[in-house]
Structure formats: structure tokens, C-alpha cells
Amino acid sequence: MSSGKQQPELVVPRSVAVIMDGNGRWAKKAGLERIRGHERGIDAVRTTVTECARLGVEALVLYAFSEENWQRPQREIDLLFRLLKRFLVEERHTLMKNRVRLLHSGRRERLSKDILQVLDESIAATAGNDGMQLSLAISYGGRQEIVDAVRVLAARVQRGELTPAAIDEATIHAHLYHPQLPDPDLLIRTAGERRISNFLLWQVSYAEIYVSDVCWPDFRAEHLLAAFVDYGQRVRKFGKVL
Ligand code: FPP
């Protein structure tokens, strides 16, 4: 007999952004070094990328290393970049198999030559893929992205190509790192934290925020699906009256 209660509907957002948090806490709880948490976080990255691609998400942005993360101990930074490099090399076949196109969001200046090389190789190898766009935010800050856009615009004004009055939201948007990516419909943050932490400040203006209590290394397909079910319950008004 049916209870008459409708199952909540799973709605796949067009664009998803994730703040992968809680690697350190996960490791501490398991009595391990912090870096082991980052290592296990790779499994959650692989699952999230594959599931999002399978479900038809068009764009996924993962916050892998923030501008602020440069202040972490050098040993942790080195290990994080070693993991990133390993991911970029070892998961290239996963990206290809899932027709994922890789992008990088962030500043290149502080990234080492060998990271830039594997990053650029993976970006080039996947450039022809027609599936989900996956941007890894590495050495990324939302304020810095806006500063970078403003610098380019100021130079254009200086050269007489643009008047200040002609600058509107669309002009600024066009100068962000990847203007072709749709703004996130859903921002997921793990480990129970309720902060934006300088992530995609311009783009998350109308994103629905979902906080999962699960630490990132434990984040699995079921948690992603729970986020999509919750997203399906949201009423998005974009400031209007419905
Ligand atoms: C936050 O946990 C996580 C990070 C700063 C790094 C995220 C990196 C990965 C998941 C691994 C590599 C990524 C890719 C895309 C291959 P935290 O260290 O701040 O955790 P805590 O707040 O519990 O200390």
C-alpha cells in the first residue's frame, strides 16, 4: 500500500561548485597525519567527477588549493601539489573516458613549472572532450579573480578601448577566468562549515548552498545525490516574486 507520500525529486543542477573541506579533521579522527586525509580526498574527487559527469552536470568547479592555502606549512603544500600532480597524470584516462574537459581557475604565477606542465598537458589532452567541464581551482581566490578582471579592464580603459560608463556586469563577467562556465546553481561545502572562503565570489551570487556534515574523504555518491535531492526542494526566486 502506498503511503501517499511523494519521494522528493532529485534535480541535477546545471553547474556545481564544491568546497572540499575536512581532510585534516578526517585524518585526525583516524589518528593519521593530515596529508593522509588529502590522499583519501582523491577518492572523493574521482567519485564526484564521475558521478557529476554521469548525471549530466555541465560544469563542476572544485576548490583544490586557495590563495590562502599558501600560508600552510611548506611540507603540506609540497605534499598537496604532489597529490595534485599524481591526480592529473593518473586520472587523465578517467577524464577521457567520461568525456570531461579540464580547465584551471586561478593564478599561474606561484605554480611550479612541473605542475604547470602536467596541468597544461591534461588541459590540452581533454580540450576536445564534449562532456562536463571540470575546473580545478588551484592557487585560486575569488577576490583575486575580480582584481585580475579589473586590471585588464583598467588597461583597456587606459588604451581608450572602453569607457568607464560602458562597464557593466556583463563586461566584468566576460573578464573572469572562465566566462563560458555557467554560474554555480549549487555550492556544496563539506565538514559542516558554513563559509564561502573566498570561492567564486562573483559567480555564487544566486547559488543554493548545501552544507554536508561529512568530511571530504568520506564524501560518496550517496552524499552527492542527497545534495541534489535537497537542491530539488529549493524555490529559486532570483530576487523576484513568484
Ligand atoms: C580542505 O581540508 C582541503 C584542502 C585544502 C585541499 C583539497 C585537496 C584535495 C581533496 C586533494 C587533491 C585535490 C584534487 C582536485 C586532486 P583541510 O585540510 O582544510 O581540512 P581541515 O579543515 O579538517 O583541517
Side-chain angles (χ1 to χ4, degrees), residues 115-156:
I115 279 288
L116 285 173
Q117 192 185 330
V118 282
L119 191 56
D120 289 342
E121 278 168 9
S122 289
I123 290 171
T126 61
N129 288 347
D130 59 358
M132 183 179 80
Q133 301 191 73
L134 164 68
S135 185
L136 295 185
I138 306 171
S139 197
Y140 176 86
R143 288 185 174 179
Q144 289 79 2
E145 179 174 23
I146 295 169
V147 167
D148 289 348
V150 168
R151 282 184 184 155
V152 175
L153 284 170
R156 291 189 58 200

Short mmCIF file of all heavy atoms in Angstrom, two decimals, residues 115-156:
data_model
loop_
_atom_site.label_atom_id
_atom_site.label_comp_id
_atom_site.label_asym_id
_atom_site.label_seq_id
_atom_site.Cartn_x
_atom_site.Cartn_y
_atom_site.Cartn_z
N ILE A 115 54.17 21.47 -12.18
CA ILE A 115 52.71 21.42 -12.01
C ILE A 115 52.04 22.03 -13.25
O ILE A 115 51.09 21.47 -13.81
CB ILE A 115 52.27 22.17 -10.73
CG1 ILE A 115 52.46 21.30 -9.50
CG2 ILE A 115 50.81 22.63 -10.80
CD1 ILE A 115 51.47 20.16 -9.37
N LEU A 116 52.59 23.18 -13.68
CA LEU A 116 52.01 23.84 -14.85
C LEU A 116 52.09 22.92 -16.07
O LEU A 116 51.15 22.86 -16.87
CB LEU A 116 52.74 25.16 -15.15
CG LEU A 116 52.38 26.31 -14.19
CD1 LEU A 116 53.27 27.52 -14.46
CD2 LEU A 116 50.91 26.70 -14.33
N GLN A 117 53.18 22.19 -16.15
CA GLN A 117 53.34 21.30 -17.31
C GLN A 117 52.28 20.19 -17.33
O GLN A 117 51.60 20.02 -18.35
CB GLN A 117 54.74 20.68 -17.30
CG GLN A 117 55.05 20.01 -18.63
CD GLN A 117 56.38 19.29 -18.61
OE1 GLN A 117 57.29 19.70 -17.91
NE2 GLN A 117 56.49 18.23 -19.39
N VAL A 118 52.09 19.50 -16.20
CA VAL A 118 51.08 18.42 -16.21
C VAL A 118 49.66 18.98 -16.33
O VAL A 118 48.80 18.39 -16.98
CB VAL A 118 51.15 17.46 -14.99
CG1 VAL A 118 52.27 16.48 -15.12
CG2 VAL A 118 51.23 18.18 -13.69
N LEU A 119 49.46 20.14 -15.71
CA LEU A 119 48.15 20.79 -15.80
C LEU A 119 47.85 21.12 -17.26
O LEU A 119 46.79 20.76 -17.80
CB LEU A 119 48.19 22.06 -14.94
CG LEU A 119 46.90 22.80 -14.64
CD1 LEU A 119 45.87 21.89 -13.99
CD2 LEU A 119 47.16 23.99 -13.71
N ASP A 120 48.81 21.76 -17.92
CA ASP A 120 48.60 22.15 -19.32
C ASP A 120 48.46 20.93 -20.22
O ASP A 120 47.67 20.95 -21.18
CB ASP A 120 49.76 23.05 -19.80
CG ASP A 120 49.68 24.43 -19.15
OD1 ASP A 120 48.60 24.80 -18.63
OD2 ASP A 120 50.70 25.16 -19.16
N GLU A 121 49.19 19.87 -19.91
CA GLU A 121 49.08 18.64 -20.73
C GLU A 121 47.68 18.05 -20.60
O GLU A 121 47.08 17.63 -21.59
CB GLU A 121 50.11 17.60 -20.27
CG GLU A 121 51.49 17.85 -20.87
CD GLU A 121 52.59 17.00 -20.21
OE1 GLU A 121 52.25 16.09 -19.39
OE2 GLU A 121 53.77 17.26 -20.49
N SER A 122 47.16 18.02 -19.36
CA SER A 122 45.82 17.45 -19.17
C SER A 122 44.75 18.34 -19.80
O SER A 122 43.77 17.84 -20.36
CB SER A 122 45.51 17.27 -17.68
OG SER A 122 46.30 16.24 -17.16
N ILE A 123 44.97 19.65 -19.69
CA ILE A 123 44.01 20.59 -20.31
C ILE A 123 44.00 20.36 -21.84
O ILE A 123 42.95 20.25 -22.45
CB ILE A 123 44.37 22.05 -19.95
CG1 ILE A 123 44.08 22.29 -18.46
CG2 ILE A 123 43.62 23.04 -20.84
CD1 ILE A 123 44.59 23.61 -17.90
N ALA A 124 45.20 20.23 -22.41
CA ALA A 124 45.30 20.04 -23.87
C ALA A 124 44.72 18.69 -24.28
O ALA A 124 43.98 18.60 -25.26
CB ALA A 124 46.76 20.16 -24.31
N ALA A 125 45.02 17.64 -23.48
CA ALA A 125 44.56 16.30 -23.84
C ALA A 125 43.03 16.20 -23.82
O ALA A 125 42.45 15.44 -24.57
CB ALA A 125 45.15 15.27 -22.87
N THR A 126 42.40 16.99 -22.95
CA THR A 126 40.94 16.87 -22.80
C THR A 126 40.18 17.98 -23.54
O THR A 126 38.95 18.04 -23.47
CB THR A 126 40.53 16.91 -21.30
OG1 THR A 126 40.94 18.18 -20.74
CG2 THR A 126 41.19 15.80 -20.49
N ALA A 127 40.92 18.85 -24.22
CA ALA A 127 40.31 20.04 -24.84
C ALA A 127 39.21 19.69 -25.84
O ALA A 127 38.27 20.46 -26.03
CB ALA A 127 41.38 20.90 -25.50
N GLY A 128 39.33 18.53 -26.48
CA GLY A 128 38.34 18.16 -27.49
C GLY A 128 37.14 17.43 -26.91
O GLY A 128 36.21 17.08 -27.64
N ASN A 129 37.13 17.18 -25.59
CA ASN A 129 36.01 16.44 -24.99
C ASN A 129 34.76 17.31 -24.95
O ASN A 129 34.83 18.51 -24.69
CB ASN A 129 36.38 15.97 -23.58
CG ASN A 129 37.39 14.84 -23.61
OD1 ASN A 129 37.64 14.25 -24.67
ND2 ASN A 129 38.00 14.54 -22.47
N ASP A 130 33.61 16.67 -25.21
CA ASP A 130 32.37 17.44 -25.32
C ASP A 130 31.45 17.24 -24.12
O ASP A 130 30.29 17.62 -24.14
CB ASP A 130 31.64 17.07 -26.62
CG ASP A 130 31.30 15.58 -26.65
OD1 ASP A 130 31.66 14.85 -25.68
OD2 ASP A 130 30.66 15.14 -27.62
N GLY A 131 31.98 16.62 -23.04
CA GLY A 131 31.14 16.40 -21.87
C GLY A 131 31.28 17.52 -20.85
O GLY A 131 31.51 18.68 -21.19
N MET A 132 31.20 17.14 -19.58
CA MET A 132 31.24 18.12 -18.49
C MET A 132 32.56 18.90 -18.47
O MET A 132 33.63 18.35 -18.72
CB MET A 132 31.09 17.36 -17.17
CG MET A 132 31.03 18.25 -15.96
SD MET A 132 30.82 17.27 -14.46
CE MET A 132 32.48 16.70 -14.15
N GLN A 133 32.47 20.19 -18.17
CA GLN A 133 33.67 20.98 -17.95
C GLN A 133 34.00 20.90 -16.46
O GLN A 133 33.15 21.17 -15.62
CB GLN A 133 33.43 22.43 -18.36
CG GLN A 133 33.03 22.57 -19.82
CD GLN A 133 33.07 24.01 -20.26
OE1 GLN A 133 34.11 24.61 -20.43
NE2 GLN A 133 31.89 24.59 -20.40
N LEU A 134 35.25 20.53 -16.18
CA LEU A 134 35.71 20.43 -14.80
C LEU A 134 36.81 21.44 -14.59
O LEU A 134 37.87 21.36 -15.22
CB LEU A 134 36.27 19.02 -14.54
CG LEU A 134 37.12 18.87 -13.27
CD1 LEU A 134 36.27 19.04 -12.01
CD2 LEU A 134 37.82 17.50 -13.24
N SER A 135 36.55 22.42 -13.73
CA SER A 135 37.62 23.37 -13.44
C SER A 135 38.19 23.09 -12.06
O SER A 135 37.46 23.01 -11.07
CB SER A 135 37.11 24.81 -13.52
OG SER A 135 38.22 25.66 -13.35
N LEU A 136 39.51 22.94 -12.00
CA LEU A 136 40.19 22.79 -10.72
C LEU A 136 40.65 24.19 -10.31
O LEU A 136 41.41 24.83 -11.03
CB LEU A 136 41.38 21.85 -10.83
CG LEU A 136 41.08 20.39 -11.17
CD1 LEU A 136 42.36 19.57 -11.13
CD2 LEU A 136 40.04 19.80 -10.20
N ALA A 137 40.14 24.63 -9.16
CA ALA A 137 40.56 25.94 -8.64
C ALA A 137 41.83 25.72 -7.83
O ALA A 137 41.80 25.13 -6.75
CB ALA A 137 39.45 26.55 -7.81
N ILE A 138 42.94 26.15 -8.40
CA ILE A 138 44.26 25.94 -7.77
C ILE A 138 44.96 27.28 -7.72
O ILE A 138 45.07 27.95 -8.75
CB ILE A 138 45.12 24.94 -8.58
CG1 ILE A 138 44.37 23.63 -8.82
CG2 ILE A 138 46.46 24.69 -7.90
CD1 ILE A 138 45.06 22.68 -9.79
N SER A 139 45.45 27.66 -6.55
CA SER A 139 46.01 28.99 -6.32
C SER A 139 44.92 30.01 -6.70
O SER A 139 45.15 30.96 -7.43
CB SER A 139 47.28 29.21 -7.15
OG SER A 139 48.00 30.30 -6.65
N TYR A 140 43.73 29.72 -6.22
CA TYR A 140 42.54 30.50 -6.58
C TYR A 140 42.02 31.32 -5.41
O TYR A 140 42.00 30.85 -4.26
CB TYR A 140 41.41 29.55 -7.05
CG TYR A 140 40.15 30.34 -7.33
CD1 TYR A 140 39.94 30.93 -8.57
CD2 TYR A 140 39.20 30.57 -6.32
CE1 TYR A 140 38.82 31.71 -8.81
CE2 TYR A 140 38.08 31.35 -6.56
CZ TYR A 140 37.90 31.91 -7.80
OH TYR A 140 36.79 32.70 -8.03
N GLY A 141 41.59 32.52 -5.71
CA GLY A 141 40.87 33.35 -4.75
C GLY A 141 39.80 34.13 -5.50
O GLY A 141 40.06 34.62 -6.61
N GLY A 142 38.61 34.22 -4.92
CA GLY A 142 37.52 34.94 -5.58
C GLY A 142 37.82 36.43 -5.71
O GLY A 142 37.57 37.04 -6.75
N ARG A 143 38.39 37.02 -4.65
CA ARG A 143 38.73 38.44 -4.72
C ARG A 143 39.83 38.66 -5.76
O ARG A 143 39.78 39.62 -6.53
CB ARG A 143 39.20 38.94 -3.36
CG ARG A 143 38.07 39.04 -2.36
CD ARG A 143 38.55 39.65 -1.07
NE ARG A 143 37.43 39.87 -0.18
CZ ARG A 143 37.53 40.38 1.04
NH1 ARG A 143 38.72 40.71 1.51
NH2 ARG A 143 36.47 40.57 1.79
N GLN A 144 40.82 37.76 -5.77
CA GLN A 144 41.92 37.89 -6.73
C GLN A 144 41.41 37.78 -8.16
O GLN A 144 41.90 38.48 -9.06
CB GLN A 144 42.99 36.82 -6.46
CG GLN A 144 43.79 37.01 -5.18
CD GLN A 144 43.03 36.57 -3.91
OE1 GLN A 144 41.91 36.08 -3.95
NE2 GLN A 144 43.66 36.76 -2.77
N GLU A 145 40.41 36.92 -8.38
CA GLU A 145 39.86 36.79 -9.74
C GLU A 145 39.22 38.11 -10.17
O GLU A 145 39.38 38.55 -11.31
CB GLU A 145 38.80 35.66 -9.78
CG GLU A 145 38.18 35.50 -11.15
CD GLU A 145 37.24 34.31 -11.28
OE1 GLU A 145 36.70 33.85 -10.26
OE2 GLU A 145 37.04 33.86 -12.42
N ILE A 146 38.53 38.76 -9.22
CA ILE A 146 37.90 40.05 -9.56
C ILE A 146 38.98 41.11 -9.79
O ILE A 146 38.90 41.90 -10.73
CB ILE A 146 36.88 40.45 -8.47
CG1 ILE A 146 35.73 39.43 -8.45
CG2 ILE A 146 36.34 41.87 -8.70
CD1 ILE A 146 34.78 39.53 -7.27
N VAL A 147 40.02 41.10 -8.93
CA VAL A 147 41.14 42.05 -9.11
C VAL A 147 41.76 41.87 -10.50
O VAL A 147 42.00 42.83 -11.23
CB VAL A 147 42.22 41.85 -8.01
CG1 VAL A 147 43.51 42.58 -8.35
CG2 VAL A 147 41.69 42.31 -6.65
N ASP A 148 41.99 40.61 -10.90
CA ASP A 148 42.59 40.33 -12.21
C ASP A 148 41.71 40.86 -13.34
O ASP A 148 42.22 41.42 -14.32
CB ASP A 148 42.85 38.82 -12.39
CG ASP A 148 44.00 38.34 -11.49
OD1 ASP A 148 44.71 39.20 -10.92
OD2 ASP A 148 44.18 37.11 -11.36
N ALA A 149 40.41 40.70 -13.21
CA ALA A 149 39.48 41.19 -14.23
C ALA A 149 39.54 42.72 -14.29
O ALA A 149 39.59 43.32 -15.37
CB ALA A 149 38.07 40.72 -13.92
N VAL A 150 39.55 43.35 -13.11
CA VAL A 150 39.56 44.82 -13.05
C VAL A 150 40.84 45.37 -13.67
O VAL A 150 40.82 46.38 -14.39
CB VAL A 150 39.38 45.30 -11.58
CG1 VAL A 150 39.67 46.80 -11.45
CG2 VAL A 150 37.97 44.98 -11.09
N ARG A 151 41.97 44.68 -13.44
CA ARG A 151 43.25 45.14 -14.02
C ARG A 151 43.18 45.15 -15.54
O ARG A 151 43.63 46.09 -16.18
CB ARG A 151 44.40 44.23 -13.58
CG ARG A 151 44.84 44.51 -12.17
CD ARG A 151 46.04 43.65 -11.83
NE ARG A 151 46.42 43.85 -10.45
CZ ARG A 151 47.07 42.96 -9.72
NH1 ARG A 151 47.44 41.81 -10.23
NH2 ARG A 151 47.39 43.23 -8.47
N VAL A 152 42.64 44.09 -16.11
CA VAL A 152 42.54 44.02 -17.58
C VAL A 152 41.61 45.13 -18.08
O VAL A 152 41.91 45.82 -19.07
CB VAL A 152 42.02 42.63 -18.03
CG1 VAL A 152 41.80 42.58 -19.53
CG2 VAL A 152 43.00 41.53 -17.61
N LEU A 153 40.51 45.33 -17.37
CA LEU A 153 39.56 46.36 -17.79
C LEU A 153 40.18 47.75 -17.68
O LEU A 153 40.00 48.58 -18.57
CB LEU A 153 38.28 46.28 -16.93
CG LEU A 153 37.34 45.12 -17.29
CD1 LEU A 153 36.24 44.97 -16.25
CD2 LEU A 153 36.73 45.36 -18.66
N ALA A 154 40.92 47.99 -16.59
CA ALA A 154 41.55 49.30 -16.40
C ALA A 154 42.54 49.58 -17.53
O ALA A 154 42.60 50.69 -18.06
CB ALA A 154 42.26 49.36 -15.05
N ALA A 155 43.28 48.53 -17.94
CA ALA A 155 44.24 48.69 -19.04
C ALA A 155 43.50 49.01 -20.34
O ALA A 155 43.96 49.82 -21.14
CB ALA A 155 45.07 47.42 -19.19
N ARG A 156 42.35 48.39 -20.51
CA ARG A 156 41.57 48.65 -21.74
C ARG A 156 41.04 50.08 -21.74
O ARG A 156 40.99 50.74 -22.77
CB ARG A 156 40.41 47.65 -21.88
CG ARG A 156 40.91 46.24 -22.19
CD ARG A 156 39.77 45.32 -22.53
NE ARG A 156 38.99 45.80 -23.66
CZ ARG A 156 37.75 45.42 -23.94
NH1 ARG A 156 37.15 44.54 -23.17
NH2 ARG A 156 37.12 45.92 -24.98
#
